[in-house]
Amino acid sequence: MKKSLSILSLLSLCSLPAGAADIDIEITNLTHGSFFTPFLVAAHADNVSLFASGEPASASLQAMAEGGDISGLVADAEAVNATLVTDPAGGLLAPGQAASTSLNTDDAPDNTRLSIVAMILPSNDGFMGLNSVEIPSEPGRYMFSVNAYDAGTEGNDEILGGGAPGDPGFPAPPPVMATSGTGGTGVAADAEGFVHIHRGVLGDADPSGGVSDIDATVHRWLNPVVRVVVTVN
Amino acid sequence: MKRLLIPALIALAAGCSDNNSNSNPRPDETTPPEPEPVVNAIFEVGVVNLTNGQPLSPIALALHDDSFAAFAVGAPASAGLELLAEGGDNSQLLEEVEGRVEASGEAPLGPGGEETFVLELDGDDVSDLHLSVVSMLVNTNDAFTALNGVDVSAMEVGDTWMVNAVAYDAGTEADSEAAGTIPGPADGGEGFNAARDDAADQVTMHSGVVTSDDGLPTSVLTQMHRFDNPVARFTVTRTQ
């Protein structure tokens, strides 16, 4: 009995370094009318994460969620030897569109978890978050449905504004501006204080007034907002 | 015929090497074996309407190969899908399939309702077999729910699985929710219209209905027509 046990443990030891992964990633914007700012795609160790539900957002997550700036998260991830891809869509990812990229963790077999984040526009601090899913070791095609989170760092006033942390409102690059309104009086004033599943945007039917600069018939969403297909080679 | 000849030649050669075997001739191998009775493969598909106020138009079902897809997110809807998603008429989509088996519900499936369909193949060949199920949420402009070409070729008899399905937007009609634009009982308005006037002519997920109770004064819909994902549950069982 002892012998067969030791053989088994040797076998399981042999299979341990299979953390190294060569994967293709396809990210599809499933929403009817929302855009995503540049994505951060990160393979990282299982003891770190970009965010956690119920916890306050980091300053770097706030910068991503309020303005689409991933530079802080990139620096954080590099500091823990994550394997990164930035901006695979080459700018905004439009509704219905997809972006593809690849990751190889042969040089960093401890990076067994996959996270992907990007801000939703128009929103104050909404973002899509694939949070530390285990990268499958078995070759094949795996689909993940990704939900929208609220970073909890900015009140969801839903009015045109800026993207720098602390600036109220949402930034509106041209394709977002094209479908947004103006003159809204504001929906919610207070930041929630913790990361949570986004309650969705409210919007209104008035392009030049009302409570919101978001169009209720165009910019609302229901989860999931993104589909991620991981192909393990 | 060639295949039959080769074993016969081998038998002859074996016979040559053994003179004493001539009195024991081999059985005639050219007699065809009794054909085994072919059992048709059968799949049962259960559909549950999970919504509060959205009847599902007569369910369209098809078993087909992977050359057909009812839709793809980011691509324009086919004419058949537009007809189904705007007006609940599944006839053209079922023609587009050119599948191995098609079926349709006879009436809309109401909120909370459950219906089971039996799809029987001609034969037991399930290779490259995919299942699609499509139905409109009728109190909307062009929302539908679907199973989109799920591979069932690996299902053994007795296998069963369940999936919760989301609502998609055909992208062929603006989600105005205006009087006269929704074919379901909430409005009794127009169904299919060939004009494609949505923000983009492409299938996406649906953003939900806004309704007059939640910020769209011109909507004929009320809070009772709102829905969230999932909107339908599909249970698939291979019974034979």
Side-chain angles (χ1 to χ4, degrees):
Chain A
M1 271 315 262
K2 263 194 175 170
K3 249 185 194 169
S4 54
L5 276 178
S6 60
I7 288 168
L8 276 177
S9 49
L10 271 178
L11 281 174
S12 58
L13 274 179
C14 291
S15 62
L16 270 184
D22 172 17
I23 61 176
D24 299 324
I25 300 166
E26 185 185 53
I27 303 167
T28 303
N29 178 349
L30 298 174
T31 70
H32 191 58
S34 306
F35 291 77
F36 289 98
T37 60
F39 290 88
L40 172 63
V41 180
H44 54 81
D46 63 3
N47 61 343
V48 294
S49 63
L50 301 180
F51 68 95
S53 294
E55 300 290 325
S58 68
S60 300
L61 190 83
Q62 178 180 8
M64 181 278 298
E66 293 189 19
D69 176 5
I70 56 175
S71 60
L73 287 175
V74 167
D76 297 346
E78 283 175 341
V80 294
N81 299 315
T83 310
L84 303 181
V85 175
T86 56
D87 194 14
L92 294 177
L93 185 67
Q97 300 307 298
S100 295
T101 188
S102 299
L103 262 184
N104 190 312
T105 61
D106 284 352
D107 296 333
D110 286 343
N111 290 345
T112 57
R113 300 300 174 108
L114 180 67
S115 291
I116 305 177
V117 292
M119 180 192 188
I120 302 176
L121 281 174
S123 77
N124 287 87
D125 59 341
F127 67 101
M128 62 74 76
L130 183 71
N131 195 3
S132 298
V133 298
E134 191 164 0
I135 300 172
S137 51
E138 192 87 6
R141 205 167 165 270
Y142 301 85
M143 196 184 85
F144 299 91
S145 292
V146 184
N147 295 326
Y149 289 87
D150 187 313
T153 56
E154 181 179 323
N156 294 352
D157 62 12
E158 301 190 7
I159 57 174
L160 287 175
D167 282 1
F170 60 87
V176 177
M177 191 68 216
T179 51
S180 297
T182 57
T185 55
V187 177
D190 298 326
E192 301 85 355
F194 57 96
V195 177
H196 54 278
I197 290 287
H198 204 291
R199 59 191 185 271
V201 293
L202 184 67
D204 65 23
D206 186 346
S208 59
V211 293
S212 172
D213 292 338
I214 290 176
D215 187 330
T217 63
V218 175
H219 297 133
R220 288 190 180 188
W221 68 74
L222 296 177
N223 284 322
V225 292
V226 164
R227 181 173 61 213
V228 171
V229 176
V230 173
T231 304
V232 178
N233 298 312
Chain B
M1 284 311 276
K2 259 188 187 160
R3 283 213 179 140
L4 285 176
L5 279 177
I6 291 164
L9 281 173
I10 290 169
L12 279 176
C16 290
S17 68
D18 186 355
N19 294 331
N20 296 330
S21 69
N22 290 347
S23 56
N24 292 319
R26 297 172 68 87
D28 185 2
E29 291 183 6
T30 61
T31 305
E34 281 292 309
E36 286 181 28
V38 174
V39 177
N40 290 345
I42 296 178
F43 292 84
E44 273 187 18
V45 182
V47 184
V48 180
N49 181 342
L50 299 176
T51 71
N52 177 63
Q54 294 288 344
L56 294 172
S57 69
I59 314 289
L61 307 97
L63 288 167
H64 54 83
D65 64 30
D66 72 353
S67 65
F68 172 82
F71 68 97
V73 168
S78 70
L81 181 65
E82 180 182 12
L83 187 63
L84 187 154
E86 292 184 13
D89 176 356
N90 64 31
S91 59
Q92 191 170 340
L93 187 72
L94 287 174
E95 278 174 27
E96 288 172 2
V97 182
E98 296 181 351
R100 298 193 42 200
V101 187
E102 289 105 27
S104 171
E106 291 181 0
L109 179 63
E114 184 167 7
E115 195 169 2
T116 300
F117 299 88
V118 178
L119 302 175
E120 181 167 356
L121 284 180
D122 183 12
D124 61 355
D125 178 11
V126 296
S127 58
D128 191 23
L129 194 66
H130 297 254
L131 172 66
S132 288
V133 186
V134 191
S135 174
M136 178 192 186
L137 283 65
V138 301
N139 287 324
T140 67
N141 290 98
D142 60 341
F144 66 98
T145 187
L147 271 187
N148 194 10
V150 176
D151 187 341
V152 294
S153 62
M155 287 184 76
E156 308 271 0
V157 174
D159 282 357
T160 186
W161 50 269
M162 185 271 282
V163 65
N164 288 326
V166 300
Y168 295 92
D169 189 312
T172 56
E173 180 180 334
D175 297 328
S176 69
E177 303 175 22
T181 68
I182 291 175
D187 182 26
E190 179 185 53
F192 171 72
N193 183 315
R196 296 201 174 195
D197 59 356
D198 208 338
D201 182 9
Q202 62 178 8
V203 176
T204 62
M205 276 185 56
H206 202 278
S207 51
V209 290
V210 181
T211 81
S212 56
D213 289 324
D214 195 24
L216 187 60
T218 54
S219 174
V220 293
L221 305 177
T222 70
Q223 44 77 26
M224 67 94 61
H225 302 113
R226 285 161 53 86
F227 58 85
D228 199 350
N229 290 319
V231 295
R233 175 172 299 157
F234 299 113
T235 306
V236 181
T237 307
R238 182 174 174 188
T239 58
Q240 184 172 296

